[in-house]
């Protein structure tokens, strides 16, 4: 069947300001994403990039740095297209003159006519408030009739409910909610977006997508990597802040939300927030039935011996930060009453796989008792997010032969088998949506706060010095804590 996807429309020209322009995020994600937009003809020729950093570079020196850092990741033709549009501004946000300097630099980029502006804070979270304040105080948050202004922040949005609210208060002092783009790169994955199309563009699934037919849903994001050089961030965050507060909750909302009447950003976001509002608060007295935390010990990865979390450079020897969590959540609403959602994510596990597995209930009675016993294996729908981009329905069929026997079979569709034409990677997609002003795939503040509100009681327990939550050690490169394998 042919795809009916129209090619995306090129966005209006934009002046993109990248704060943190010499940092890891800019080099690893933002520039490759911009190059991909250039290559696909999705970045208007008149768009300009203002790279802002503390380091004292000229534009020419910065261009040389880009050449060095990006040569392996971006084809030369794309670099030739992109680099001439980039200028560098060295800026110290603590300097009271910095807002003015930025305004002047942006004015020059406008050339003949005003262009939309996008401020991307590719900086550590501690710099969000000072930078947003600097922009706001310089009047750079204000939109004009012929110019939109947006600001992009990456997760983590705070480290708990109060700090998330504090960040939001500052952002809202200078920007309206529709100007704020809170990125969750999981949402930009094609296979994640596909969850809603699979559910709501097929008459087949919705009638059984509820507590009557579904036994449980398991959402897994397993990684083989350790924490690498991110000890400073990770030891403060742990898996609950790093993966659950954002990506896992987002996947949960897509599995559980109601269909909006129209596929429009605010309506989709309303439905996602309703899911978070239905989260049943965790019972802190019986937390061990709903939460298993783990931390990787030494083990093997890719055939090599690797250190445990406590031996990673920069991690305190007595750290109790979890690198693995299994969390069972319930939603108190009509559709999902009594259906457990198992959320599981960890680092240094045996394989990288992110998937949603929908386990249906067994048939009410087995009419094959004589041959097959009482239990007929139930159906399962697996939505592979990464790296196996599949949708697989596991069904029972008749095994070939003269006697009657059941045989489990899979009906599988593979995303990877498509042409891939016009496909954008995660960051190119989110950047394009920021430029075009489409907030469908981004977090809205009410949802951020609902999720923090849900998780903060357990985060408080984890952060507390006399934390009594058990922490299960698991071998790097293995299946994770034993206790979680039974869940
Ligand atoms: C990031 C986390 O948001 O997501 C990382 O900070 C994690 O710790 C990464 O490794 C996982 O993303 P992906 O796309 O590789 O599953």
């Amino acid at each position: 069947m042919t795809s009916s996807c129209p090619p995306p429309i090129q966005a209006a020209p934009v002046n993109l300001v990248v704060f943190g322009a010499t940092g890891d995020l800019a080099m690893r994600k933002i520039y490759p994403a911009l190059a991909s937009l250039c290559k696909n003809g999705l970045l208007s020729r008149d768009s300009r990039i203002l790279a802002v950093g503390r380091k004292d570079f000229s534009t020419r020196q910065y261009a040389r740095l880009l050449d060095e850092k990006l040569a392996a990741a971006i084809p030369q033709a794309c670099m030739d297209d992109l680099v001439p549009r980039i200028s560098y501004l060295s800026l110290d946000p603590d300097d009271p003159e910095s807002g003015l300097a930025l305004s002047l630099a942006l004015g020059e980029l406008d050339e003949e006519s005003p262009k939309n502006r996008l401020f991307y804070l590719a900086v550590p979270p501690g710099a969000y408030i000072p930078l947003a304040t600097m922009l706001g105080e310089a009047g750079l948050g204000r939109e004009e009739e012929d110019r939109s202004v947006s600001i992009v922040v990456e997760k983590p949005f705070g480290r708990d409910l109060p700090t998330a609210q504090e960040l939001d208060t500052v952002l809202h002092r200078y920007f309206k909610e529709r100007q704020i783009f809170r990125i969750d790169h999981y949402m930009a994955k094609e296979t994640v977006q596909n969850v809603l199309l699979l559910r709501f563009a097929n008459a087949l699934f919705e009638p059984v997508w509820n507590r009557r037919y579904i036994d449980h849903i398991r959402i897994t994001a397993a990684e083989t990597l350790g924490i690498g050089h991110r000890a400073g961030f990770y030891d403060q965050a742990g898996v609950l802040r790093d993966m659950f507060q954002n990506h896992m909750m987002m996947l949960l909302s897509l599995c559980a939300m109601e269909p909006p009447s129209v596929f429009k950003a605010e309506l989709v976001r309303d439905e996602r927030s309703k899911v978070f509002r239905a989260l049943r608060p965790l019972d802190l007295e019986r937390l061990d039935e709903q939460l298993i935390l783990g931390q990787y010990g030494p083990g093997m990865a890719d055939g090599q011996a690797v250190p445990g979390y406590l031996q990673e450079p920069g991690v305190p020897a007595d750290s109790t930060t979890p690198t693995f969590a299994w969390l069972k959540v319930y939603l108190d609403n009509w559709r999902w009453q009594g259906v457990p959602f198992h959320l599981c994510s960890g680092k240094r596990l045996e394989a990288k796989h992110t998937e949603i597995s929908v386990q249906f209930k067994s048939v009410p009675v087995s009419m094959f008792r004589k041959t097959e016993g009482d239990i007929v294996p139930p159906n399962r729908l697996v939505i592979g997010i990464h790296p196996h981009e599949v949708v697989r329905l596991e069904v029972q069929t008749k095994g070939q032969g003269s006697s009657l026997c059941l045989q489990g079979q899979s009906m599988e569709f593979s995303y990877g088998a498509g042409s891939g034409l016009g496909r954008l990677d995660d960051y190119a997609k989110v950047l394009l949506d920021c430029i075009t002003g489409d907030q469908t795939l981004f977090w809205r503040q009410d949802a951020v706060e609902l999720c923090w509100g849900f998780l903060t009681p357990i985060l408080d327990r984890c952060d507390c010095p006399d934390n009594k939550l058990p922490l299960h050690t698991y071998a790097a490169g293995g299946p994770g804590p034993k206790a979680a394998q039974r869940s």
Side-chain angles (χ1 to χ4, degrees):
M1 210 183 294
T2 52
S3 157
S4 54
C5 262
I9 298 164
Q10 194 180 75
V14 66
N15 284 335
L16 168 65
V17 181
V18 182
F19 291 99
T22 56
D24 194 49
L25 181 62
M27 296 298 171
R28 270 191 325 110
K29 298 291 185 185
I30 300 177
Y31 284 118
L34 281 168
S36 155
L37 293 182
C38 282
K39 187 170 142 220
N40 286 288
L42 294 172
L43 190 69
S44 140
R45 291 237 138 255
D46 295 329
S47 292
R48 297 284 174 270
I49 294 129
L50 182 62
V52 179
R54 282 179 186 266
K55 296 207 174 103
D56 195 14
F57 286 133
S58 66
T59 292
R60 186 178 291 210
Q61 284 168 322
Y62 185 67
R64 242 179 272 135
L65 178 78
L66 290 179
D67 265 343
E68 265 166 42
K69 296 242 177 185
L70 300 175
I74 302 182
Q76 193 55 47
C78 293
M79 286 297 279
D80 294 345
D81 189 357
L82 190 61
V83 174
R85 310 189 201 187
I86 303 175
S87 46
Y88 183 84
L89 176 69
S90 158
L91 200 87
D92 172 3
D94 303 327
D95 177 350
E97 298 298 309
S98 55
L100 182 64
L102 185 59
S103 286
L104 292 174
L106 275 168
E108 279 172 31
L109 291 191
D110 272 345
E111 293 157 354
E112 279 103 55
S113 55
K115 276 181 238 160
N116 294 336
R117 286 177 182 167
L118 183 63
F119 298 105
Y120 198 130
L121 308 192
V123 291
Y128 291 169
I129 289 184
L131 282 176
T133 308
M134 180 200 77
L135 291 171
E137 291 299 317
L140 290 169
R142 266 199 305 277
E143 295 192 292
E144 288 155 34
E145 217 169 280
D146 44 4
R147 161 187 356 260
S148 71
V149 176
S150 315
I151 185 163
V152 185
V153 286
E154 290 268 341
K155 64 128 197 128
F157 316 119
R159 57 172 283 108
D160 52 19
L161 183 56
T163 47
Q165 287 168 332
E166 188 194 351
L167 170 63
D168 190 59
T169 305
V170 175
L171 289 173
H172 272 115
R173 194 171 296 147
Y174 306 110
F175 299 90
K176 300 193 176 66
E177 181 63 31
R178 69 177 156 71
Q179 297 177 270
I180 305 170
F181 288 76
R182 299 179 193 84
I183 287 190
D184 183 329
H185 78 280
Y186 262 53
M187 275 300 286
K189 292 180 192 283
E190 289 262 331
T191 41
V192 171
Q193 294 173 58
N194 185 44
V195 174
L196 290 189
L197 278 86
L198 190 72
R199 285 189 55 198
F200 300 135
N202 296 289
L204 195 60
F205 298 113
E206 261 323 276
V208 294
W209 206 265
N210 55 49
R211 71 192 147 87
R212 250 171 293 147
Y213 295 97
I214 291 180
D215 186 73
H216 65 268
I217 294 185
R218 185 176 289 278
I219 301 174
T220 308
E223 298 186 72
T224 50
L225 294 177
I227 56 150
H229 298 289
R230 298 165 75 213
F233 158 75
Y234 197 89
D235 199 58
Q236 294 298 311
V239 68
L240 292 171
R241 288 190 176 88
D242 188 40
M243 292 294 290
F244 279 68
Q245 160 63 17
N246 31 70
H247 309 323
M248 302 302 278
M249 285 294 172
M250 191 54 95
L251 294 177
L252 167 72
S253 70
L254 297 180
C255 293
M257 66 185 252
E258 298 298 323
S261 53
V262 188
F263 196 72
K264 279 204 167 147
E266 281 322 302
L267 301 184
V268 173
R269 291 173 6 138
D270 284 346
E271 295 304 335
R272 290 206 300 255
S273 293
K274 283 187 207 162
V275 172
F276 302 134
R277 214 163 281 133
L279 279 164
R280 184 185 301 169
L282 295 162
D283 181 350
L284 296 180
E285 298 306 314
R286 299 166 61 179
L287 212 44
D288 53 334
E289 291 169 21
Q290 277 189 267
L291 177 69
I292 296 171
L293 297 174
Q295 189 185 71
Y296 62 85
M300 300 291 285
D302 285 337
Q304 307 258 322
V306 290
Y309 179 71
L310 296 180
Q311 291 80 46
E312 297 279 15
V315 172
D318 57 352
S319 171
T320 54
T321 298
T323 59
F324 172 97
W326 166 86
L327 178 67
K328 184 164 62 166
V329 305
Y330 288 94
L331 297 171
D332 281 332
N333 60 22
W334 274 57
R335 187 190 280 260
W336 294 116
Q337 194 54 228
V339 179
F341 290 78
H342 302 253
L343 314 182
C344 182
S345 176
K347 296 219 176 273
R348 279 279 188 241
L349 294 169
E350 58 195 345
K352 164 94 184 160
H353 75 119
T354 310
E355 69 171 35
I356 298 167
S357 162
V358 181
Q359 179 76 61
F360 291 92
K361 290 188 172 164
S362 301
V363 290
V365 61
S366 168
M367 55 185 241
F368 308 105
R369 273 197 197 127
K370 265 203 184 138
T371 48
E372 299 292 335
D374 281 338
I375 309 283
V376 175
N379 301 124
R380 199 160 72 111
L381 178 72
V382 177
I383 304 172
I385 306 290
H386 184 79
H388 308 295
E389 301 187 321
V390 292
V391 177
R392 188 173 70 241
L393 183 60
E394 295 172 1
V395 294
Q396 297 303 317
T397 63
K398 179 184 177 307
Q400 291 189 36
S402 54
S403 57
L404 187 71
C405 67
L406 288 182
Q407 193 172 48
Q409 292 285 3
S410 291
M411 292 155 63
E412 188 166 300
F413 152 76
S414 166
Y415 238 92
S419 71
L421 216 62
R423 186 171 168 162
L424 293 177
D425 79 8
D426 319 351
Y427 266 83
K429 170 70 181 153
V430 281
L431 206 49
L432 182 65
D433 285 358
C434 294
I435 295 173
T436 55
D438 181 348
Q439 289 186 310
T440 314
L441 302 182
F442 297 79
W443 279 86
R444 200 170 64 189
Q445 181 63 15
D446 58 338
V448 171
E449 291 189 15
L450 286 162
C451 290
W452 276 126
F454 173 72
L455 286 173
T456 296
I458 40 175
L459 291 169
D460 286 348
R461 286 279 281 270
C462 292
D463 294 346
C464 174
D466 57 350
N467 159 24
K468 298 276 184 324
L469 291 177
L471 187 67
H472 302 259
T473 305
Y474 59 97
K482 279 205 185 70
Q485 286 155 43
R486 292 191 293 271
S487 310

